[in-house]
Structure formats: structure tokens, C-alpha cells
Amino acid sequence: MKVPTMAEYMAEGKQPEVLFWVGCAGSFDDRAKKITKAFVKILNNANVEFAVLGAEESCTGDPAKRAGNEFLFQMQAVTNIEVMNAYDIKKVVTACPHCFNTLKNEYPGLGGTYEVMHHTQFLKSLLDDGRLKIEGGSFKGKKITFHDPCYLGRGNEVYEAPRELIRKLDVELVEMKNCRKKGLCCGAGGAQMFKDAEPGDKEVNIERTEQALEVQPDIIATGCPFCNTMMTDGIKNKEKEDSVIVQDIAELIANAQDL
Amino acid sequence: MEYIPNILFAILLIFGIGYFGKNVKKLSRNINLGKDVDRSDNKSQRWKNMGMIALGQSKMVRRPIAGFFHIIVYVGFVIINIEVLEIIIDGLFGTHRVFTKVLPDSIYGFLIGTFEILAIGVLISVIIFWIRRNIIKLKRFLSAEMKGWPKSDGNIILYFEIVLMTLFIVMNAADISFQQAGNGNVISQYLYPLFEGNVETAHIIEKVAWWLHIAGILVFLNYLYFSKHLHILLAFPNTFYANLKPKGEFVNDANVTKEVMLMMDPNADPFAAPAEGEDEGEPEKFGASDVQDLNWVQLLNSYTCTECGRCTSECPANQTGKKLSPRKIMMDTRDRLEEVGKNIDANKGTFIDDGKSLLNDYITPEELWACTSCNACVEACPVSIDPLSIIMEMRKYLVMEQSAAPTELNVMMGNIENNGAPWPYNQMDRLNWKDEN
């Protein structure tokens, strides 16, 4: 696995094609690290010249902003923007819809304007350019359902890129009763990931898992590390972990190709 | 003496429209209590949204049954108002069905015929709406915030419409010369046999129905201000001024940016006094604890809300039994804004602190913290209301003014501040995954 950093590129006096913004979950969370690695393997396989910031990357500030701490958010944003502007970064790809949304929409107002893509959009563009081939492999004919991340779907109206990638896997894509614009949150957004839920009858991720199980999928595909955690927890709660797998679209593609 | 009805009519009209005008002024004053926000960009997109969403009802039909009947009521109500024009002219000048003399028979017949069919359509739709509310008892009309006035308001509107449509048909049916002309009486002809025997009674009934109809319309017009039915007017400006940016994008607070930039500037002197002549003014309050801290679009949103509850029924927190209801956020904002407006009226134009605020007295922190910021409520609203922006402003107040975040969130924010991640990991370890299996 080749994972060059921006500092290394700079030392060689070169610019990578794209900065891979790994995000906190992708860097530290054991489950999300698998998504990060799967995505890197695909990039390596497609000969994409990318770099990461490594230790120079910091939280985008998304959870702070959604929790109401605008000051901390802007401090994070301005610091990250300084780093990215110093490297003269033009294009960013990230596997986290929260980082994606913040970098794409909220950083420009603070002096950081980049072309920002979600990894499913980026993989789709590789596919369109013929740099990436996707085949079903072991997934052929499996029933799969996609859980729309709020910050990718409703937040930024990206609904089709992930679905087009899934269809390429020769699987049967089935939609949950709440999908696309009507997608139901996994329960982690708005900084909920980091706190207990308010009292209610049920956890949001359980409700969403039940909706997913209604369509009897073999696989629940996700496009967000937080959704992934929430759905994985939901499946465990329903004791279905032997029959239903939860995987990010990057993992599905990497696994299908035995990367 | 023969002019008495005309004078009475003119007085009724002036009083009805005048009182409405007075309330519209109050409405606009209250909305302008909000902070300024610039929504003057991209006019063509704004007109298009208004045309599609308010005029074209494009988001209403996402729920096909309610959407279909709503369109009938909406089209019916708008078009029947052409008939009101004739009523007003007749009333002021003592004419009778003045348009029969102005318009060719075929057109007049077509118009009145259409109005009658629409009136029946509205009547049927409104009865279905009443059944949904009172017999089928749809869940979203029974939430906690829908008790008392909101519940009766919903029904009163339906009764109003039933009465107005019935009066319209009866007025036509009892109009013997109109019936004898047989032009456009497509529905009312079936009621005509009830009246044709007695010319005197028919005439009285026609007059009574005519007066009640126009008086009813004026009363209904004035009812709007006190009711969720205000949406029939405000849906238009509300969709026009709605946010055009991606829903995931939350506003970057410009006051915070100023401070952050100052902190990040190595040349800034932290002890520098403001430059001579530069007015420091009141220190800015972060976020919102009361309606005056919200912007005018958010306040317009609250008056536009028709309490349909589509937001709440899509809300993941609400669906899983948590206290948050985006509809309640909007209703609370309007109720508090009305209270503040009354306070201002009672105190000769200035607001005297009443020891209450939108936060805590209306909306509790528990509701605010239950939000996942998923934008389902914003997407669901048929008239582009944004409850989420109010929730976020109030969270901002809780955190930045009161340091009242839930403990776990304080831990998360502390981690971001110290380690650059919401979890307690060292920033230097960010690339460790590369070498792990």
C-alpha cells in the first residue's frame, strides 16, 4: 500500500492529482480505517497520484459546528485552510460526507476554495475515464441496499454516484422505503455520534436498521464512516451479523477485486 | 334610502380590508424584529422556486392524496375569487351580476360553471380533510403540540370553507333570473327546484347568502392573521426568500470569523484599544435565545408554517419518540414572536423585558440536543421552511453563551481543541493506519 504525504510530494517538487482527506474517523476508528485502506488500495490500483496530509491534517470542525461551537469550528477551519493553501491544493477527495460537506461548502467562506469530491464521486469519475474497472466478483447477484448519508444526499444532493458504483458490482440494488431525499438518518449526525441520545422509544440506528432489514438484503452499503458504525451496531443489535454485512462502497469495490 | 345597502357594503369592505391592513402592518413589524440577512441574490432562481413550489405546489404532491385535494382547494379558492370581484362591484354600485352585461354569455357561463364545479370540488376536499383530522385521526395531526388552539384552528378553517362554498352555491341556486337564463348553473340548477316555487323567499335567501358570502370572505380574510391559514399569503414570499445554498452548508458566523482572524493574525495586538471614533457597540451575542436573535427569514418562516407536520413526521428524532418536533419549533417561534409583538404594542413601541425567552420558556434544550441535523424537516416542508437553522442558532447560544453543552459534547470539543480529533488520540498518530494490518 502506497500512502505518500503532501510533505513528501512537496520535497520532490511535485503536486499530486488529488489530496485524500482521511478524516478523524478514517484515521483513528478501527472500523473506519478499513474503509480508508480499501479506498487507498483502489487508488493505488488505478494509479492515481494522491497524497494525504498525515499528521498535518486536523478535524474539519464539523462536529464542533453542529454542536454549536462556531468558534472552535472556525479555528479548525482556518488552521486547516492555512495548511492546504500552503500546499496549493486544488482538488480534495474524502470518504467522509461530513468532511466533504464542510470542506466543500463551509471552507470557501473562510478562504479555502477547493474542488471537493466524495470518494464515490471520485471513483465514479475514474470509472468514466476508464481508469477503474468494477466487476461483481463474489458479490454477483447479491441483494444490496444503500443507506443515503444525510450530508451527502439531502445535504449536497449526491444520490446517483454511489448507486451507479453499486450497480457496476452486478448486484441487485433494492431501495429501502426511505431513500434518496426521504432517506432516514443513521442517528450519528449533528454531533450525536459523540453523546448519548435523548430519551425516546428507540435509537435512530435501530429504526434505520429495521428499514434496511425489511428489504432482506445480503449487504447494506454505506458511504460514510459514521453511518457504517451505526448500521453495524444496528445489525449486531438485531443479531444478524452472520447473514447481513455492512460495508462501505469502497470496501465493496476493493473486495470484489481482491485488492 | 335606496343607497343604504351600497353604503353599508362600502363600510363593510373598508372596515374588513382596513383591519386586515392594520394586521399586515403588525405582521411586517414583527418579522422585521429579526436580524438582517441578505437574500437578494439570484433573483431568477428565486422567482422560479416561488413559481414551482408556492404557485405550482410541486412539493405538496410528494404526498399524493393530501397533495391532490390541496391543489383542488387551492385552485378553487384562487379562481373563485374572480367571482368576488363581481360581488364587490355589484355591492358598491347596486348592480346585479354586472359581468353578464360586460362579458359575452358564453364566457360568463363558462366562468360561473367552472366556479360551481370548483366549489363542489373544494367542498368535497375539505370534507375529506375534516375526516382525516377528526375521524381517521392521522398521527401527525395528534402530536402534543396540536392540542387546543392549533387543533381548533385547523377545524375552523375547514368549517369556514364549507360555509363559504355552500353559500356560493345557494346564492346561485336561489337567483331566479340567473337560473332562468340557464347559463353556467351547472351545479346550482339541481338545488333550484327548492327555490323556484316561491319568488319572494328565493330572493331573500339569495340576498342573505350574498351578504353572508361576502361578509364571510372578509371575516376569513381577517382570521388569517390569527391562524395557520396565513400560509396562503406567506407561502409566496417564503419560498422566494428561502435558502438557495446546499442544505448541508450552515452559515459561517461573521462575528466569529472576525475574532478568529484576529486571533490567528500574528501581528494583531491583543491589548489594542479600538481605533479612535470606531464604535465598539454592544458586544455581539452568539446564537439565539429569543426571537429577536433570529433573522427575519426565520421569523417569516414561523408565520408561514401551516402546522401540517410533514417535517415532524420525517424527523428521525421524532420518529423514535424523542421530544424534538420541528413543527413545534416553528409554532413556538411564532407564539413567542406574537407575545413579543403584543409586549411592544402595550409598551408604546418598545420591548420591555418580560423575563421570558424562546429558549427554555418555549423550546427546551432537550429538544434542541435531539436533532441530528439531517435536514429531513427542511426537505419535507412544502413551503421551504427551515426549522434546522433555528435549532442550530439556539445550540450556538447554549454552547457559546452559556457553556451548556451536554458533558460528552464538551469532552468531544475538548478533544478537537487539544488533539485535532473528536477522540482522545494524538494528532501525530494520524497516519498510523498505514502500517497496521
Side-chain angles (χ1 to χ4, degrees):
Chain A
M1 208 167 57
K2 285 188 308 217
V3 192
T5 61
M6 280 307 298
E8 287 160 18
Y9 262 95
M10 188 144 187
E12 288 180 37
K14 289 200 301 186
Q15 263 294 347
E17 190 179 323
V18 64
L19 168 73
F20 170 30
W21 185 276
V22 183
C24 301
S27 303
F28 293 121
D29 181 85
D30 284 335
R31 179 67 190 86
K33 280 194 267 191
K34 292 182 185 164
I35 303 171
T36 307
K37 285 189 231 177
F39 183 57
V40 166
K41 284 175 190 165
I42 301 172
L43 294 180
N44 283 166
N45 194 246
N47 292 317
V48 175
E49 293 206 331
F50 74 97
V52 298
L53 283 169
E56 291 184 278
E57 188 187 282
S58 185
C59 173
T60 58
D62 162 83
K65 188 176 181 93
R66 314 298 137 176
N69 196 336
E70 178 73 8
F71 191 80
L72 179 55
F73 160 72
Q74 291 202 15
M75 289 294 286
Q76 287 297 120
V78 170
T79 316
N80 282 322
I81 288 168
E82 266 188 11
V83 172
M84 286 198 280
N85 287 355
Y87 283 121
D88 198 23
I89 278 157
K90 300 276 186 293
K91 194 168 171 179
V92 186
V93 60
T94 175
C96 173
H98 295 269
C99 297
F100 164 75
N101 173 69
T102 305
L103 292 167
K104 176 176 170 285
N105 297 319
E106 290 160 359
Y107 275 32
L110 300 167
T113 307
Y114 321 100
E115 184 195 345
V116 186
M117 291 174 105
H118 184 244
H119 69 316
T120 57
Q121 293 177 306
F122 189 72
L123 293 175
K124 170 78 179 40
S125 76
L126 294 179
L127 191 71
D128 291 345
D129 295 345
R131 296 170 70 185
L132 174 69
K133 296 253 180 305
I134 300 178
E135 276 158 13
S138 53
F139 295 122
K140 221 168 204 166
K142 289 258 160 72
K143 211 173 184 186
I144 193 165
T145 189
F146 175 62
H147 163 77
D148 284 286
C150 307
Y151 275 86
L152 187 67
R154 271 192 301 270
N156 290 286
E157 304 201 341
V158 180
Y159 299 107
E160 293 314 316
R163 288 182 167 77
E164 283 180 41
L165 293 174
I166 290 171
R167 285 195 200 96
K168 288 280 168 194
L169 289 166
D170 298 324
V171 293
E172 185 198 348
L173 176 62
V174 281
E175 296 289 357
M176 289 181 240
K177 70 173 177 192
N178 282 339
C179 64
R180 292 198 173 85
K181 279 183 194 294
K182 278 178 72 100
L184 182 77
C185 181
C186 70
Q192 298 291 346
M193 183 75 184
F194 306 100
K195 63 184 256 303
D196 288 332
E198 273 51 44
D201 320 321
K202 209 192 241 181
E203 299 299 329
V204 177
N205 66 324
I206 301 299
E207 174 74 21
R208 185 54 166 169
T209 305
E210 285 168 1
Q211 287 193 354
L213 291 176
E214 265 172 35
V215 298
Q216 297 178 316
D218 301 306
I219 302 162
I220 299 171
T222 58
C224 168
F226 297 102
C227 297
N228 192 305
T229 302
M230 297 308 265
M231 297 307 285
T232 305
D233 287 353
I235 290 295
K236 280 188 193 142
N237 180 282
K238 296 278 164 192
E239 294 176 355
K240 291 275 183 198
E241 62 264 48
D242 295 331
S243 54
V244 183
I245 58 170
V246 180
Q247 278 192 339
D248 190 273
I249 291 174
E251 292 178 288
L252 293 171
I253 294 173
N255 290 347
Q257 293 174 328
D258 278 328
L259 295 178
Chain B
M1 286 300 274
E2 59 177 316
Y3 292 115
I4 286 178
N6 308 31
I7 294 166
L8 278 178
F9 184 83
I11 292 171
L12 182 71
L13 203 61
I14 291 166
F15 186 75
I17 293 175
Y19 188 65
F20 178 68
K22 201 178 141 212
N23 278 331
V24 168
K25 256 170 87 177
K26 199 187 283 176
L27 178 73
S28 126
R29 195 266 325 265
N30 288 356
I31 289 172
N32 282 315
L33 292 174
K35 288 184 174 169
D36 200 19
V37 57
D38 185 17
R39 292 283 163 89
S40 59
D41 60 324
N42 209 343
K43 290 255 163 51
S44 61
Q45 184 59 43
R46 294 187 178 283
W47 283 110
K48 201 177 136 202
N49 282 358
M50 190 171 96
M52 294 288 292
I53 301 168
L55 197 66
Q57 310 257 304
S58 58
K59 288 178 95 178
M60 274 310 291
V61 290
R62 287 200 192 157
R63 297 200 181 189
I65 299 173
F68 174 75
F69 290 112
H70 185 269
I71 287 181
I72 295 180
V73 175
Y74 160 73
V75 171
F77 235 74
V78 170
I79 296 182
I80 285 172
N81 277 306
I82 304 175
E83 169 67 11
V84 176
L85 187 66
E86 184 179 50
I87 293 181
I88 289 174
I89 299 172
D90 283 349
L92 287 174
F93 301 103
T95 47
H96 179 72
R97 292 192 183 261
V98 68
F99 287 172
T100 49
K101 298 179 183 69
V102 188
L103 299 172
D105 281 356
S106 58
I107 293 181
Y108 189 80
F110 173 76
L111 280 177
I112 293 285
T114 314
F115 299 159
E116 290 202 349
I117 291 167
L118 282 171
I120 289 300
V122 171
L123 211 49
I124 293 169
S125 307
V126 165
I127 290 168
I128 290 171
F129 283 154
W130 187 87
I131 292 172
R132 278 158 58 92
R133 267 177 194 272
N134 299 284
I135 296 179
I136 302 176
K137 302 200 171 181
L138 287 192
K139 192 171 158 257
R140 67 189 160 101
F141 297 130
L142 296 173
S143 317
E145 67 265 23
M146 296 309 286
K147 307 247 153 45
W149 171 246
K151 182 172 192 277
S152 26
D153 184 23
N155 280 328
I156 289 169
I157 294 161
L158 298 178
Y159 300 143
F160 249 119
E161 294 181 9
I162 291 172
V163 170
L164 288 179
M165 291 303 119
T166 309
L167 285 170
F168 176 71
I169 297 287
V170 168
M171 178 184 95
N172 282 357
D175 185 342
I176 291 182
S177 61
F178 171 71
Q179 289 298 334
Q180 280 169 352
N183 186 18
N185 54 344
V186 278
I187 304 289
S188 57
Q189 59 179 304
Y190 300 107
L191 286 178
Y192 176 51
L194 293 175
F195 305 106
E196 68 182 328
N198 194 331
V199 180
E200 285 283 298
T201 320
H203 187 67
I204 292 169
I205 290 173
E206 187 220 338
K207 275 288 141 207
V208 170
W210 187 93
W211 276 98
L212 287 179
H213 183 62
I214 186 67
I217 286 172
L218 287 171
V219 172
F220 199 29
L221 177 75
N222 280 290
Y223 179 73
L224 294 187
Y225 179 80
F226 305 95
S227 155
K228 75 192 191 92
H229 211 50
L230 198 49
H231 80 282
I232 63 165
L233 300 175
L234 295 187
F236 294 90
N238 200 70
T239 47
F240 185 84
Y241 290 116
N243 180 31
L244 295 181
K245 294 190 175 144
K247 288 193 183 65
E249 176 180 346
F250 293 4
V251 193
N252 289 331
D253 194 316
N255 295 312
V256 175
T257 311
K258 221 161 61 188
E259 292 202 21
V260 168
M261 292 303 174
L262 203 66
M263 276 193 69
M264 301 294 283
D265 179 2
N267 301 318
D269 175 3
F271 304 107
E276 197 74 25
E278 192 180 306
D279 187 16
E280 273 277 77
E282 284 257 317
E284 274 293 338
K285 174 169 162 184
F286 296 119
S289 63
D290 212 345
V291 286
Q292 297 97 324
D293 307 324
L294 297 170
N295 67 47
W296 63 267
V297 173
Q298 290 166 322
L299 300 183
L300 172 66
N301 279 180
S302 76
Y303 275 116
T304 309
C305 176
T306 195
E307 300 164 14
C308 71
R310 290 186 184 200
C311 51
T312 293
S313 77
E314 300 277 332
C315 173
N318 193 275
Q319 279 180 34
T320 53
K322 286 143 190 118
K323 279 215 178 99
L324 174 63
S325 161
R327 167 172 58 190
K328 179 176 171 291
I329 300 284
M330 300 319 300
M331 292 166 71
D332 286 343
T333 304
R334 177 180 177 160
D335 288 350
R336 172 61 182 158
L337 183 53
E338 271 296 292
E339 188 177 56
V340 168
K342 283 188 187 124
N343 180 314
I344 293 174
D345 290 334
N347 294 303
K348 301 185 185 73
T350 46
F351 177 70
I352 308 277
D353 187 14
D354 57 358
K356 287 165 100 182
S357 67
L358 181 60
L359 181 66
N360 296 324
D361 293 303
Y362 287 83
I363 300 171
T364 60
E366 181 180 337
E367 293 165 61
L368 299 171
W369 289 119
C371 173
T372 67
S373 76
C374 75
N375 262 306
C377 55
V378 187
E379 185 66 55
C381 181
V383 288
S384 307
I385 289 170
D386 184 354
L388 176 55
S389 68
I390 297 180
I391 295 172
M392 289 313 301
E393 282 305 315
M394 297 185 79
R395 275 193 184 178
K396 216 189 282 178
Y397 178 84
L398 283 172
V399 170
M400 296 183 72
E401 295 280 341
Q402 297 196 314
S403 303
T407 320
E408 306 108 301
L409 288 187
N410 281 330
V411 172
M412 178 272 287
M413 292 188 284
N415 285 328
I416 292 181
E417 209 170 334
N418 299 320
N419 315 321
W423 297 286
Y425 296 111
N426 193 322
Q427 187 163 357
M428 287 302 125
D429 295 338
R430 269 201 178 247
L431 203 46
N432 288 4
W433 56 269
K434 183 174 77 156
D435 307 310
E436 293 167 1
N437 279 317

